[in-house]
C-alpha cells in the first residue's frame, strides 16, 4: 500500500518508518524544512533508540522517502495519516486542533482517487466528523465513503520504546465509518494480524475516546501511587512494597505504579486536561480525572520544596546538581517534564543549577538559556554541588559510583525523585538520602 504521513515528529516518523518496514511505500511530509533536510541527509531530528537504523534501511530499500511537498507525498496514496501536534490550547486546556484542521484542508485540495484520511494524532471526540466536514467543504465533489473516508487510528507508542510499541502493540484501535476504510486499515496492519495482535475496529467516535480514556486511566494510576507515597512518608511505610503488594493482584497490575515527581511528557498532561474539558462540554464531567490533573500539577510544583528541606531549609547560594531533564529516560523530549517546574522554583529560591541529561541538553538550553550550567556528564554536574537531585532515571545514573559522587559533592546529600537507589546502601556510603514514599535515611556517622 502507499502511505503519506503528515508530520515527522515522534509519532509520524516512527509510524512512517514502521509502516515502511512492514513493506508499504511511505512518504513522510513535514512543513518544517530543516527537519526534512536533516532526514534527507540521513540525520534523525529526534532521539529515539533504533530509529536511525530503521529509517536508513527503509530509505535504502526505496520504501521510505521525505519531502516538504504534500502533493508529492499524496500522489497515489491509499491512506494519508495526520500525525501533527495537538497541544493544549492556551487559556482553556482544550486540545488545539488548528494543525489538524490546516492539514485536513491541504489534504482535501489534493485528493484524486479514493483516499482514507486517518487521524493518528490524539484528537477529541468529534474531530473525525469535523475533518470530514472540512474536506467536504473544500471538495463538494467528493462523498464520504466513496471519494474519501475519514478514520481514527490513535497511536499508543511510548517514546523511548516507540519502535517496539508500534511493531508489537498490545492492540491497534481503528475507528471507521465504512467498510472501504476498514479494508485499507486492515491491509496496512496485516503484518500485525499475522502476529495475532488484537485489532479493535470500532466507530470513529469510540476510537477517539479510547485514546483519551487510556491515557487518563494511566495518569490516574500514577497519581494514585504518588498520593500513597505521600501517605507512606507520614506513616513510615514503603511505597515500593505497597506498589508490589497491590500490583501482584492481576486486577490491578504492576505497571504505572512507580511513585515519582508527577507525570509529565507530551501526552498525559495535555490529554488529561483535554478529556476534562470535553467531558465538561458534554455535561458529563470526569471528576476523577479533574482531581488527577490538579493533584499532579501541585505535585510537580512541590518537588523543589523537598530539595530545600534536604539542605536545611534555605537554598540561597546553594548549588543543586540535577541529573535528568527529559520527562523520562531514553528520550530528548522535555514537554511538560517535571524539570520544567522544578528548575524555575529552585532558581527562584536562590539556588544555582548544574545540570546533565544524556540527550535533552539542547532542548534544556532552549528553555533555560544561560540561567543554568550545562555539564558534560553526571560527575561534572556534581562537582562542588551541595545536593544531588535525581529527576530522570537514566541507566547511567543508576550505575553512579557513589564513592566518587560523595567525593565531588560539597555535602553528601541526595534527593532521589525516582527511587533508583537503595536507602541502606546510600546510608552505608555516608549520604543523607531522601526519596519518594520511603523513610528518609540518615547516614550512620560515628
Ligand atoms: P511533534 O510535535 O513531535 O510532531 C508534529 C510534527 O508535525 C512537527 O514536525 C510539525 O512540523 C509537523 N506539522 C504540523 N503541521 C503540519 C502540516 N500541516 N503539514 C506537515 N507537517 C506538519 O508531535 P508528536 O509528539 O509526534 O505528536 C503528534 C500527535 O501524536 C499528537 O496528537 C500527540 O498527542 C500524539 N501522540 C504522541 C505520542 C508521543 O509519545 N509523542 C504518543 C501517542 C500519541
Amino acid at each position: 500500500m502507499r502511505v503519506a504521513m503528515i508530520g515527522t515528529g515522534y509519532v509520524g516518523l516512527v509510524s512512517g518508518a514502521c509502516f515502511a518496514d512492514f513493506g508499504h511505500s511511505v512518504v513522510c511530509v513535514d512543513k518544517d524544512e530543516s527537519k526534512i533536510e536533516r532526514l534527507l541527509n540521513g540525520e534523525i531530528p529526534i532521539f529515539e533508540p533504533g530509529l536511525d537504523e530503521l529509517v536508513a534501511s527503509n530509505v535504502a530499500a526505496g520504501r521510505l522517502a521525505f519531502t516538504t511537498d504534500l502533493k508529492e507525498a499524496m500522489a497515489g496514496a491509499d491512506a494519508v495519516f495526520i500525525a501533527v501536534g495537538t497541544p493544549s490550547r492556551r487559556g482553556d486546556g482544550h486540545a488545539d486542533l488548528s494543525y489538524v484542521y490546516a492539514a485536513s484542508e491541504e489534504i482535501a485540495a489534493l485528493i484524486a482517487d479514493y483516499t482514507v484520511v486517518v487521524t493518528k494524532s490524539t484528537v477529541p471526540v468529534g474531530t473525525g466528523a469535523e475533518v470530514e466536514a472540512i474536506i467536504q467543504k473544500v471538495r463538494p465533489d467528493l462523498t464520504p465513503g466513496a471519494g474519501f473516508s475519514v478514520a481514527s487510528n490513535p497511536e499508543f507508542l511510548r517514546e523511548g520504546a516507540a519502535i517496539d510499541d508500534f511493531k508489537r502493540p498490545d492492540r491497534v484501535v481503528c475507528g471507521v465509518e465504512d467498510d472501504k476504510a476498514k479494508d485499507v486499515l486492515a491491509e496496512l496492519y496485516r503484518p500485525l494480524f499475522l502476529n495475532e495482535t488484537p485489532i479493535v475496529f470500532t466507530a470513529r467516535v469510540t476510537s477517539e475516546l479510547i485514546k483519551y480514556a487510556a491515557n487518563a486511566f494511566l495518569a490516574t494510576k500514577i497519581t494514585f501511587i504518588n498520593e500513597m507515597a505521600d501517605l507512606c512518608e507520614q506513616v513510615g511505610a514503603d511505597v515500593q512494597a505497597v506498589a508490589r503488594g497491590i500490583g501482584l493482584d492481576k486486577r490491578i497490575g504492576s505497571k504505572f505504579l512507580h511513585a515519582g515527581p508527577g507525570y509529565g511528557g507530551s501526552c498525559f498532561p495535555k490529554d488529561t486536561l483535554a478529556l476534562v474539558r470535553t467531558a465538561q462540554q458534554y455535561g458529563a464531567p470526569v471528576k476523577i480525572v479533574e482531581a488527577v490533573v490538579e493533584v499532579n500539577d501541585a505535585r510537580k510544583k512541590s518537588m523543589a520544596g523537598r530539595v530545600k528541606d534536604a539542605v536545611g531549609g534555605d537554598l540561597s547560594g546553594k548549588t543543586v546538581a540535577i541529573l535528568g531533564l527529559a520527562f523520562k529516560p531514553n528520550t530528548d523530549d522535555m514537554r511538560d517534564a517535571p524539570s520544567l517546574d522544578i528548575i524555575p522554583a529552585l532558581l527562584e529560591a536562590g539556588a544555582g543549577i548544574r545540570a546533565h541529561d544524556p540527550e535533552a541538553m539542547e532542548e534544556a538550553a532552549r528553555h533555560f538559556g544561560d540561567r543554568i550550567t550545562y555539564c558534560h556528564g553526571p560527575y561534572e554536574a556534581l562537582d562542588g554541588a551541595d545536593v544531588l537531585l535525581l529527576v530522570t532515571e537514566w541507566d547511567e545514573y543508576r550505575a553512579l559510583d557513589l564513592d566518587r559522587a560523595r567525593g565531588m559533592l560539597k555535602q553528601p546529600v541526595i534527593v532521589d525523585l525516582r527511587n533508583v537507589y537503595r536507602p541502606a546502601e546510600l546510608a552505608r556510603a555516608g549520604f543523607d538520602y531522601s526519596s519518594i514514599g520511603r523513610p528518609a535515611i540518615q547516614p550512620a556517622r560515628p
Side-chain angles (χ1 to χ4, degrees), residues 9-11 30-31 35 84 86 122 155 159 266 270 335:
Y10 290 87
V11 166
D30 207 294
K31 275 200 167 341
K35 262 191 191 176
V84 302
T86 50
T122 302
E155 184 48 57
E159 286 173 25
S266 59
K270 77 174 176 63
R335 285 178 280 185

Side-chain angles (χ1 to χ4, degrees), residues 235-382:
V235 303
D238 179 339
V239 74
Q240 282 182 301
V242 171
R244 186 167 151 74
I246 62 174
L248 285 167
D249 183 330
K250 291 193 182 65
R251 293 169 302 175
I252 296 173
S254 59
K255 302 272 171 65
F256 280 76
L257 287 179
H258 299 288
Y263 60 77
S266 59
C267 293
F268 288 173
K270 77 174 176 63
D271 293 347
T272 44
L273 195 55
L275 179 62
V276 163
R277 294 292 176 255
T278 302
Q280 285 167 347
Q281 184 184 331
Y282 283 86
V286 284
K287 297 241 171 79
I288 292 174
V289 187
E290 287 179 23
V292 165
V293 169
E294 193 186 316
V295 169
N296 192 66
D297 282 351
R299 183 170 192 83
K300 287 201 281 188
K301 289 192 171 64
S302 74
M303 288 298 124
R306 290 178 180 251
V307 187
K308 192 172 160 197
D309 293 345
V311 298
D314 184 7
L315 276 165
S316 59
K318 296 271 174 26
T319 300
V320 182
I322 295 192
L323 300 189
L325 299 162
F327 84 91
K328 65 174 180 180
N330 295 323
T331 183
D332 56 352
D333 198 341
M334 282 185 67
R335 285 178 280 185
D336 279 318
S339 61
L340 294 179
D341 280 301
I342 295 168
I343 291 175
L346 293 174
L347 291 171
E348 177 76 11
I353 308 254
R354 297 174 63 79
H356 175 258
D357 187 286
E359 295 295 337
M361 302 290 266
E362 252 179 64
E363 189 54 28
R366 276 193 271 277
H367 287 279
F368 298 112
D370 58 7
R371 289 188 294 150
I372 68 175
T373 303
Y374 304 93
C375 300
H376 290 102
Y379 298 104
E380 190 181 317
L382 296 181

Side-chain angles (χ1 to χ4, degrees), residues 6-13 29-32 35 46 70 82-87 99-100 102-103 106 120-123 154-159 211 215 266-267 270-271 327 333 335:
I6 304 185
T8 57
Y10 290 87
V11 166
L13 188 54
V29 56
D30 207 294
K31 275 200 167 341
D32 184 336
K35 262 191 191 176
I46 53 169
L70 182 59
I82 302 177
V84 302
T86 50
Y99 301 103
V100 173
E106 292 166 36
K120 197 161 240 331
S121 298
T122 302
V123 293
E155 184 48 57
F156 297 95
L157 63 75
R158 295 162 299 164
E159 286 173 25
K211 174 66 190 177
N215 274 0
S266 59
C267 293
K270 77 174 176 63
D271 293 347
F327 84 91
D333 198 341
R335 285 178 280 185

Side-chain angles (χ1 to χ4, degrees), residues 51-65:
L51 191 55
D52 42 3
E53 291 98 341
L54 190 75
V55 167
S57 63
N58 282 284
V59 168
R63 290 188 297 259
L64 181 61

